[in-house]
Amino acid sequence: MTMSEQHELIYESVRRFSREQLAPGAARREHEKAIEPEIFKAMGELGLLGMTVSPGYDGAGSDYVGYALALMAVAEGDGAVSTVMSVHNAPFCAILERYGSDRQKDDVLRPAARGEFIGAFALTESHAGSDASAIRTRARRVGSDFVINGSKQFITSGEIGRYVIVFAVTNPDDPKRGISAFLVPTDAPGYSVIKIEAKLGQKASDTCSLNFDDLVVPEGALIGELNDGYRIALSSLEAGRIGIAAQSVGMAQAALDHAIGYAADRTAFGKILLDHQALNFRLVDARTQLEAARQLVLSAAHLKDSGKASLEQACMAKLFASETAERVCSIALQTLGGYGYVEDYPVERIYRDARVCQIYEGTSDIQRIIIGRSLTANCL
């Protein structure tokens, strides 16, 4: 699809920020395993931490095409930063705006959309990855409160987040219809980070194991209706998968840009590398595949903006973009040869950062299962 003038402005302005403030510090952030607060402050001022939240709740009011383009641009500069941005926007802010109470929107969504703090989303458990109905964390009612006990695994921003949307079983007799969502402050007694994962990539973004030990929240912490948590969790899938697909494109674009720049500057056997047909064709294929991924992402975002069902297209975008990103990053690394394998050049880090896009927000196999169901349905 062709970008509108407004979408081009979003992409170029965020890309400028990404190149000037994110890319130069990406290696340092990885080494320090942290993102400096000044980065989040700047992103908040640009509206990047409340992109699709309506202006009525202090958000930027962007459509999902604009959001996807902004995520691509941020991911070009630092994949770890784009992951925090993605989770904060959707599902965290998106769920609060759609299902939150008036008080939750005023007290939490507004400052979150302004970028005053980072939010997190806690659904996954160690024994229940893609099967949300198998979670074991429990929330039992005690008077007018709920007491939460259990644990969560692989939670982005579990340490730096101020609030986490936690999913817990409130009716054990019905796994799917007995889950509820709660807005939990991370400074509440009983909330603890028991481990920050040591990861292959995206090391600046904290990925945590959480524990809830008799954590008490008031009834007002319930998001939406009691036992409606499973539906609330699934409602965020479209936006979440569009976001991960956009990240994939952005990281792959950065790797490809480095490879093209290197091949245009480096000479071998009397001519620049780009003039060697074997290498030239390899980069041409990478650029073509990446553009196809970009268009698939923007098409899914456009479909969501139109108000039509877009889960299948979001799954297609995530599947294709995430797997394309690994191929493109591999081609970029190969183009740089030995330099692509060492930390002096950013391609090796981007290669590692992009790999997780085939895992979180539903693995590639899960995306294929969902797309495959639509094939079956269309044949009946």
Side-chain angles (χ1 to χ4, degrees):
M1 61 176 289
T2 302
M3 291 191 292
S4 68
E5 184 176 341
Q6 181 182 10
H7 289 145
E8 288 181 356
L9 180 62
I10 290 173
Y11 181 62
E12 290 304 325
S13 62
V14 179
R15 200 179 195 198
R16 190 180 313 113
F17 163 78
S18 185
R19 287 177 170 177
E20 293 175 357
Q21 298 194 46
L22 296 184
R28 172 180 49 77
R29 287 185 207 101
E30 177 178 67
H31 177 72
E32 295 176 354
K33 296 182 174 61
I35 301 168
E36 58 271 39
E38 293 78 12
I39 289 296
F40 293 134
K41 184 176 185 296
M43 293 175 70
E45 292 171 352
L46 287 172
L48 297 177
L49 296 178
M51 281 210 69
T52 61
V53 176
S54 66
Y57 290 109
D58 299 341
S62 170
D63 60 11
Y64 276 90
V65 171
Y67 171 59
L69 289 168
L71 258 178
M72 289 179 193
V74 169
E76 285 185 44
D78 191 328
V81 174
S82 73
T83 291
V84 176
M85 173 184 167
S86 177
V87 173
H88 179 84
N89 274 278
F92 184 79
C93 286
I95 284 178
L96 283 182
E97 182 166 28
R98 184 172 180 182
Y99 297 102
S101 66
D102 289 342
R103 183 168 183 176
Q104 289 169 348
K105 291 176 182 178
D106 285 336
D107 292 351
V108 180
L109 178 60
R110 287 183 186 277
R114 294 193 297 265
E116 295 180 10
F117 62 82
I118 294 300
F121 175 85
L123 176 63
T124 301
E125 299 184 2
S126 58
H127 57 278
S130 298
D131 185 4
S133 65
I135 67 172
R136 296 174 184 169
T137 296
R138 296 287 190 263
R140 58 187 176 87
R141 189 187 287 274
V142 179
S144 60
D145 297 328
F146 287 91
V147 179
I148 302 176
N149 283 280
S151 60
K152 297 292 180 180
Q153 183 79 23
F154 303 132
I155 306 305
T156 297
S157 302
E159 182 184 44
I160 67 169
R162 185 181 299 178
Y163 286 90
V164 181
I165 295 177
V166 175
F167 292 85
V169 175
T170 44
N171 179 8
D173 295 330
D174 193 339
K176 287 190 177 181
R177 296 182 179 85
I179 295 173
S180 298
F182 298 91
L183 184 61
V184 175
T186 58
D187 61 357
Y191 179 99
S192 60
V193 176
I194 57 177
K195 182 183 180 182
I196 299 177
E197 301 293 344
K199 301 177 294 184
L200 174 70
Q202 298 202 20
K203 298 180 180 183
S205 166
D206 62 290
T207 303
C208 303
S209 297
L210 306 178
N211 190 67
F212 314 115
D213 184 13
D214 286 340
L215 191 155
V216 179
V217 293
E219 190 172 31
L222 182 68
I223 300 174
E225 300 296 327
L226 185 68
N227 298 325
D228 201 25
Y230 189 75
R231 183 174 70 90
I232 291 173
L234 294 185
S235 73
S236 67
L237 293 180
E238 294 174 357
R241 287 169 181 172
I242 289 170
I244 302 307
Q247 279 187 277
S248 303
V249 171
M251 285 185 273
Q253 184 66 62
L256 183 59
D257 288 344
H258 283 295
I260 293 173
Y262 180 88
D265 185 63
R266 178 90 170 184
T267 59
F269 304 106
K271 55 184 178 181
I272 63 170
L273 294 184
L274 275 179
D275 287 341
H276 290 276
Q277 190 177 74
L279 187 145
N280 184 286
F281 279 11
R282 191 160 64 229
L283 292 175
V284 166
D285 288 344
R287 185 178 179 184
T288 300
Q289 293 164 13
L290 185 56
E291 182 59 27
R294 187 192 319 277
Q295 293 301 324
L296 197 54
V297 175
L298 295 178
S299 176
H302 177 70
L303 194 63
K304 183 169 178 59
D305 285 332
S306 71
K308 298 177 181 177
S310 57
L311 180 59
E312 182 182 7
Q313 285 71 19
C315 291
M316 289 180 180
K318 182 187 182 297
L319 172 64
F320 187 77
S322 63
E323 296 195 347
T324 295
E326 184 181 13
R327 290 194 298 271
V328 170
C329 289
S330 180
I331 289 170
L333 193 153
Q334 188 71 26
T335 300
L336 271 67
Y339 290 115
Y341 199 70
V342 299
E343 292 182 0
D344 292 345
Y345 288 78
V347 173
E348 66 86 27
R349 171 179 49 80
I350 298 170
Y351 181 88
R352 290 184 287 104
D353 285 352
R355 182 59 181 85
V356 73
C357 292
Q358 296 177 56
I359 299 173
Y360 57 15
E361 281 288 344
T363 65
S364 289
D365 289 335
I366 290 296
Q367 309 309 315
R368 288 186 170 93
I369 288 171
I370 295 172
I371 298 166
R373 287 173 182 166
S374 68
L375 295 180
T376 304
N378 291 334
C379 291
L380 295 179

